[in-house]
Amino acid sequence: MNNYDVVIVGAGPAGLACARALSKSNLSVLVLEKNDRLGKKICSGEISPKVLPDEKFDRGHPWKSMVIGTDTTKHKVNFDRPYLWTIGRFEFESYLMSKTKADIHFSEPVIKITREYVQTEKAKYSYKYLVGADGSFSKVREFLSLPAKHIVGWAFHVVLNKPANEFHLYWLPKSFPKCYGYVMSKNRNQTMIGVATTGERFDHGFARRAKLWIQDQFSIDTGNLKSESMKGNADYKGWEFGNIFLAGDAGGFLNPLTTEGIYYAITSGEGVAKAILGDPKGRAIMKKLADTHLWQVRIFDLATNTKLPFCWIINWILQDPRKGIRRKIFDYVLWKLIG
Ligand SMILES: Cc1cc2nc3c(=O)[nH]c(=O)nc-3n(C[C@H](O)[C@H](O)[C@H](O)COP(=O)(O)OP(=O)(O)OC[C@H]3O[C@@H](n4cnc5c(N)ncnc54)[C@H](O)[C@@H]3O)c2cc1C
């Protein structure tokens, strides 16, 4: 048995941010990662202005315009400053890892968890504190018997082997209720075009319809393109369970309105680390995140209920958010969510 003060499961943004914040202490910290390297998560790899605003690192490609579409419209909206940067997962996680002193073991999926230790195929590791930062299919969350139902979802897309030259978002209450369409970068060198929807399990019928939508909307033959899907978890049910903690997607901190998750992963990772260190700021961070999350869920439920006027208002704004009152509301909401 190998003994550590803190074992973190998952070397994504949540796990690495937690390990980085713990590096300021004398605690022994181990990060167990199932993949053989960083940056493999299926993700667009974009960060918003609120991600580590005081730190200097290469944030990547800045986005200052966005194509907004609905079932029947499509318009380009320009901004005077970037609302996102495509940094890429590998680059971002490498930056976080460069600031941690923790032991990081790659190719070591955690296969068993008990209240005293975690086990991989290679070894057993005892812990005083265990952090589940293992994403939307979290084994730690499963060990805690926490379901993930409201709100979880799937993104389905095809991948083009060239960088995205535009960022598109589609609000599609008629053809795909509770879904949004997207064209985004996939890290720095590829583009992903697809639709995200809610639901616990992957829906093959939905994937077929999404492919047809991609073909019609962008005149792309999807037949020869690689397709991918990935689950997101925005079903927050708590973060502290005795000496076991959840951060990032494992904790359901994903923002259901924007599916921005990197900011919430690093903030919850840091919050958990501070709580372990006994710093009262940790609990304050986690309380703020939980409160914000509950508001996001309320607004998501209102916005995606096609029977409610709130949903019609959003449809009206997004039909042409370029000027007038629609632009004012659009800007207010965008910078509130992302800035
Ligand atoms: C298609 C798509 C695009 C997205 N684009 C963006 C975006 O551009 N910007 C943004 O902010 N958010 C985006 N998100 C959300 C974002 O990807 C997640 O919210 C974020 O990755 C959560 O970070 P995390 O560290 O909690 O989990 P993850 O990034 O999922 O990291 C979890 C880590 O744990 C490891 N792991 C899992 N199980 C085990 C195990 N048993 N043992 C050991 N290791 C394990 C995994 O390999 C992984 O490295 C996107 C999501 C999707 C689905």
Side-chain angles (χ1 to χ4, degrees):
M1 179 87 77
N2 304 276
N3 305 317
Y4 281 89
D5 292 319
V6 186
V7 173
I8 299 171
V9 188
L16 292 169
C18 185
R20 175 173 109 131
L22 290 169
S23 292
K24 288 164 196 150
S25 75
N26 291 323
L27 296 180
S28 58
V29 180
L30 170 69
V31 182
L32 292 167
E33 168 55 47
K34 73 172 181 189
N35 286 328
D36 57 352
R37 64 165 174 84
L38 297 176
K40 280 197 163 176
K41 164 91 203 300
I42 295 173
C43 178
S44 180
E46 335 235 14
I47 52 172
S48 63
K50 60 185 181 293
V51 172
L52 307 177
D54 303 326
E55 297 186 31
K56 284 214 176 340
F57 58 98
D58 174 12
R59 300 178 82 90
H61 177 77
W63 292 101
K64 288 171 71 175
S65 68
M66 189 191 292
V67 174
I68 296 288
T70 65
D71 285 299
T72 50
T73 59
K74 191 165 167 176
H75 298 291
K76 190 167 184 170
V77 186
N78 295 308
F79 305 94
D80 58 4
R81 63 196 149 108
Y83 56 91
L84 283 176
W85 286 262
T86 300
I87 181 168
R89 292 288 296 229
F90 178 75
E91 291 81 355
F92 186 60
E93 287 166 21
S94 300
Y95 171 71
L96 292 177
M97 193 171 100
S98 70
K99 308 264 169 190
T100 166
K101 293 191 310 210
D103 292 345
I104 303 184
H105 293 188
F106 289 97
S107 304
E108 268 206 72
V110 168
I111 52 175
K112 185 176 173 193
I113 299 171
T114 74
R115 280 276 164 193
E116 288 79 38
Y117 66 88
V118 296
Q119 187 174 347
T120 70
E121 275 169 9
K122 296 181 184 161
K124 280 183 184 174
Y125 303 95
S126 77
Y127 61 82
K128 290 183 189 144
Y129 303 98
L130 176 66
V131 181
D134 47 345
S136 334
F137 300 94
S138 171
K139 273 231 167 275
V140 181
R141 187 177 175 114
E142 194 184 293
F143 173 72
L144 293 166
S145 305
L146 293 176
K149 287 197 171 134
H150 184 83
I151 301 157
V152 288
W154 288 86
F156 171 86
H157 53 251
V158 296
V159 180
L160 310 184
N161 284 319
K162 58 179 185 183
N165 51 16
E166 280 183 330
F167 186 103
H168 294 217
L169 279 182
Y170 293 86
W171 162 263
L172 304 162
K174 284 202 189 98
S175 49
F176 283 101
K178 294 212 174 206
C179 301
Y180 69 87
Y182 56 90
V183 177
M184 291 179 191
S185 53
K186 187 185 174 203
N187 298 318
R188 296 194 188 202
N189 299 317
Q190 293 176 306
T191 303
M192 49 194 211
I193 307 181
V195 187
T197 184
T198 50
E200 260 181 275
R201 282 165 210 276
F202 182 69
D203 175 347
H204 291 274
F206 162 78
R208 277 192 294 278
R209 287 198 301 121
K211 265 197 171 177
L212 289 177
W213 179 79
I214 297 164
Q215 274 170 210
D216 289 353
Q217 187 77 19
F218 302 99
S219 309
I220 292 175
D221 178 4
T222 56
N224 295 324
L225 294 175
K226 181 186 170 195
S227 53
E228 291 179 335
S229 61
M230 184 61 208
K231 192 177 176 182
N233 177 20
D235 195 356
Y236 170 76
K237 294 245 183 310
W239 62 278
E240 185 182 25
F241 305 86
N243 61 340
I244 304 184
F245 302 88
L246 294 176
D249 274 19
F253 284 103
L254 180 77
N255 181 342
L257 296 166
T258 57
T259 56
E260 181 183 10
I262 294 174
Y263 166 76
Y264 299 95
I266 57 170
T267 310
S268 55
E270 283 171 4
V272 164
K274 284 194 162 72
I276 289 174
L277 295 174
D279 179 343
K281 280 191 202 133
R283 276 170 206 290
I285 291 170
M286 298 309 281
K287 181 173 180 333
K288 195 169 167 209
L289 272 185
D291 291 348
T292 308
H293 184 81
L294 291 178
W295 272 107
Q296 291 164 352
V297 167
R298 274 186 204 129
I299 296 170
F300 177 88
D301 287 340
L302 286 173
T304 53
N305 187 338
T306 48
K307 291 185 189 121
L308 294 180
F310 194 68
C311 179
W312 313 339
I313 294 166
I314 292 175
N315 196 33
W316 174 74
I317 294 166
L318 295 181
Q319 271 170 6
D320 189 355
R322 285 173 302 174
K323 48 187 185 304
I325 181 78
R326 296 199 252 209
R327 178 67 201 245
K328 283 205 170 75
I329 301 173
F330 181 80
D331 276 352
Y332 177 79
V333 175
L334 177 87
W335 294 109
K336 199 93 188 133
L337 286 171
I338 217 119

